[in-house]
Amino acid sequence: MKLTFLSSLRLVMFMMISYIYYTSVGTHTTAQLIYVFIAGIGFIVNHLLLVSTREHTYYPLPLALDFVLITGFVFFYPDSALYLILFGVNAVTLFLFTEDKRILLGFTFAFFIIWALCLFYIYRVTGTFSVMENLINFSLIVFEAVVGRLIHKLLRAQAKIETQYGELQETHTALTSAHEQLHHYASQVEELTLVRERNRISGEIHDTVGHKMTALLVQLQVARELLEARPETSKQKIQLCEGLARETLQEIRLSVRTLKDDDQLQSFVTTVRKLLEDYQVMTGLTSSFSVKGDVSNIPISVQLDLTRVIQESITNAVRHGQAKECSVRLEIFETKVEISIQDDGTGAGEVNPGFGLKHMRDRIHEHGGATVFESSKEGFLVKATVPLIEVKWQMGGI
């Protein structure tokens, strides 16, 4: 639209100056009249050639023809310097449409040659030469060339912005689609993680609860056989069975609670607090839970395993250490998460990891982390560290 308007304005100026040439003399010769008519038709044809150019790509032929037509006014009207204004209008078109610097230099060089020949011809025919008039008109040509180049750069910048905006829109669409896919994949990973954890808990119930139920049945059979022969021993066996039944019931309740919490997708902090509250109700264990850092930085799979570490630690604290108090501390750093569970139980003289401690260690090791078990007179300490960015396993060493 803008270029079409400029091209039309260019044609109007050419026709107006041609008319001024026609009216600048009192008596016209036939040659002058014919040339003005030919020049007008030529300017119209060149205008149509420039407008029909695909994507405003510059073809030098129309401008070269304009050069020829403008130069012709010098030979038919040597007393007027209006031809320089026509060269200025042509300069706007040249610097507006041309990308090739070689064409710009070629037309510029041709202009100076033609201008020098025109000045020589005018001086020879009229015997006069106006330096000021030629300088003013030449300054106008330079000004128009600069304006044409500035418009050219402005249009190129506008086209580039439109292209970049289109690319930005495409990139935004692609990023939106990728974000949706990533969210979908994250949901699938979270769901698979929960399914895996439920399967693991099911296996734990089978191993731990099944083992205790087997031991319970064996002790009940022994108590039944000793009921008449050794009633005191039978009574002790029944009391042992009662303890096993209570422990088994507690583990079933906690496992079912964990499965229910996983299905409801409660927050990690809420899950741990509920776990500690359940232990306090069932065993009387007093506990504290402190968190430092942003819990949302911990992946779901790591949260689940840390919950199991806390569960196993406080179970061991009550069952083996007769602990009355327990403190759980969670710290989230930029590159790792640390959790420590300290109880006030009796501890152990030597730490020999059994099924529970080995299970904790295996859980943390799956995430590239490490576990530490420490026993002292003050109680038992379980400490686990899991990396959040870099995961590293080392097999063997020097």
Side-chain angles (χ1 to χ4, degrees):
M1 181 68 70
K2 295 179 180 179
L3 293 180
T4 302
F5 173 76
L6 290 175
S7 299
S8 301
L9 184 61
R10 172 181 178 275
L11 176 62
V12 171
M13 293 189 66
F14 274 139
M15 300 305 292
M16 289 179 60
I17 294 176
S18 298
Y19 178 75
I20 293 173
Y21 265 114
Y22 177 75
T23 59
S24 64
V25 295
T27 303
H28 302 89
T29 64
T30 302
Q32 289 176 332
L33 181 60
I34 293 174
Y35 185 76
V36 170
F37 181 76
I38 293 174
I41 295 176
F43 289 142
I44 293 174
V45 172
N46 289 339
H47 169 75
L48 295 177
L49 289 175
L50 286 173
V51 171
S52 62
T53 301
R54 183 181 302 176
E55 296 180 356
H56 307 292
T57 304
Y58 168 71
Y59 288 108
L61 179 60
L63 293 182
L65 293 176
D66 283 341
F67 262 53
V68 174
L69 293 174
I70 294 169
T71 306
F73 280 106
V74 177
F75 293 97
F76 288 95
Y77 297 90
D79 294 329
S80 177
L82 290 175
Y83 72 96
L84 289 176
I85 298 178
L86 293 176
F87 273 122
V89 175
N90 216 31
V92 174
T93 308
L94 176 67
F95 282 86
L96 178 61
F97 289 136
T98 306
E99 292 283 350
D100 195 340
K101 292 183 178 180
R102 294 175 298 179
I103 296 178
L104 288 175
L105 292 175
F107 270 92
T108 302
F109 182 71
F111 164 74
F112 281 107
I113 294 177
I114 293 173
W115 188 28
L117 293 176
C118 290
L119 292 176
F120 176 75
Y121 176 77
I122 292 171
Y123 180 75
R124 184 175 179 181
V125 173
T126 63
T128 59
F129 179 76
S130 176
V131 177
M132 184 60 62
E133 182 180 10
N134 280 276
L135 286 178
I136 293 174
N137 289 331
F138 178 72
S139 300
L140 179 62
I141 293 174
V142 174
F143 174 76
E144 291 176 336
V146 172
V147 170
R149 205 57 184 172
L150 290 176
I151 297 175
H152 171 80
K153 292 184 177 181
L154 178 63
L155 293 176
R156 285 193 62 187
Q158 182 180 4
K160 186 175 181 180
I161 290 174
E162 291 177 354
T163 302
Q164 291 178 342
Y165 179 76
E167 294 176 352
L168 183 62
Q169 287 292 102
E170 294 177 358
T171 304
H172 175 71
T173 303
L175 287 176
T176 302
S177 176
H179 176 73
E180 292 177 354
Q181 292 181 1
L182 183 61
H183 180 72
H184 177 67
Y185 293 152
S187 300
Q188 288 183 333
V189 170
E190 183 175 324
E191 183 178 353
L192 291 174
T193 301
L194 294 177
V195 171
R196 186 197 67 173
E197 189 61 23
R198 282 193 285 265
N199 292 335
R200 178 184 291 180
I201 293 175
S202 299
E204 291 179 3
I205 293 175
H206 178 271
D207 294 337
T208 58
V209 177
H211 173 74
K212 284 184 172 59
M213 292 300 294
T214 302
L216 179 60
L217 290 173
V218 171
Q219 295 299 327
L220 285 174
Q221 291 174 355
V222 173
R224 185 181 61 183
E225 294 176 357
L226 298 176
L227 181 60
E228 296 180 358
R230 300 169 61 183
E232 290 297 327
T233 304
S234 177
K235 184 178 179 180
Q236 294 176 0
K237 296 296 183 182
I238 292 175
Q239 291 176 349
L240 178 60
C241 291
E242 182 181 357
L244 288 173
R246 291 182 183 277
E247 291 179 3
T248 303
L249 181 59
Q250 289 178 3
E251 292 186 0
I252 291 175
R253 286 176 175 174
L254 291 172
S255 297
V256 171
R257 167 70 69 179
T258 303
L259 286 171
K260 182 179 179 182
D261 290 343
D262 288 345
D263 187 58
Q264 294 176 349
L265 295 177
Q266 294 184 2
S267 69
F268 177 57
V269 174
T270 303
T271 301
V272 174
R273 289 179 59 187
K274 185 62 178 176
L275 177 66
L276 296 176
E277 290 173 0
D278 289 344
Y279 262 91
Q280 194 277 327
V281 172
M282 291 185 292
T283 66
L285 178 68
T286 302
S287 59
S288 63
F289 179 41
S290 61
V291 178
K292 181 180 180 181
D294 188 359
V295 180
S296 63
N297 291 332
I298 308 175
I300 296 295
S301 59
V302 176
Q303 292 183 14
L304 293 172
D305 284 333
L306 291 179
T307 303
R308 303 299 170 265
V309 169
I310 297 173
Q311 179 182 352
E312 185 68 29
S313 299
I314 59 179
T315 300
N316 291 338
V318 174
R319 182 187 303 167
H320 303 297
Q322 289 78 47
K324 301 300 180 182
E325 294 183 3
C326 178
S327 64
V328 180
R329 179 173 178 81
L330 178 68
E331 293 186 79
I332 302 97
F333 302 94
E334 183 178 356
T335 59
K336 64 179 180 179
V337 55
E338 291 184 353
I339 189 167
S340 60
I341 303 97
Q342 175 72 58
D343 64 61
D344 65 345
T346 58
E350 183 179 356
V351 179
N352 294 315
F355 175 79
L357 298 183
K358 288 181 179 179
H359 201 193
M360 277 192 281
R361 185 172 57 192
D362 292 341
R363 283 180 176 273
I364 300 302
H365 185 72
E366 285 184 3
H367 302 287
T371 53
V372 175
F373 307 115
E374 296 180 359
S375 181
S376 64
K377 296 180 180 179
E378 289 77 18
F380 198 83
L381 171 66
V382 176
K383 186 175 182 180
T385 304
V386 179
L388 295 180
I389 297 180
E390 179 181 357
V391 178
K392 179 180 179 181
W393 292 272
Q394 180 174 346
M395 283 62 72
I398 300 176

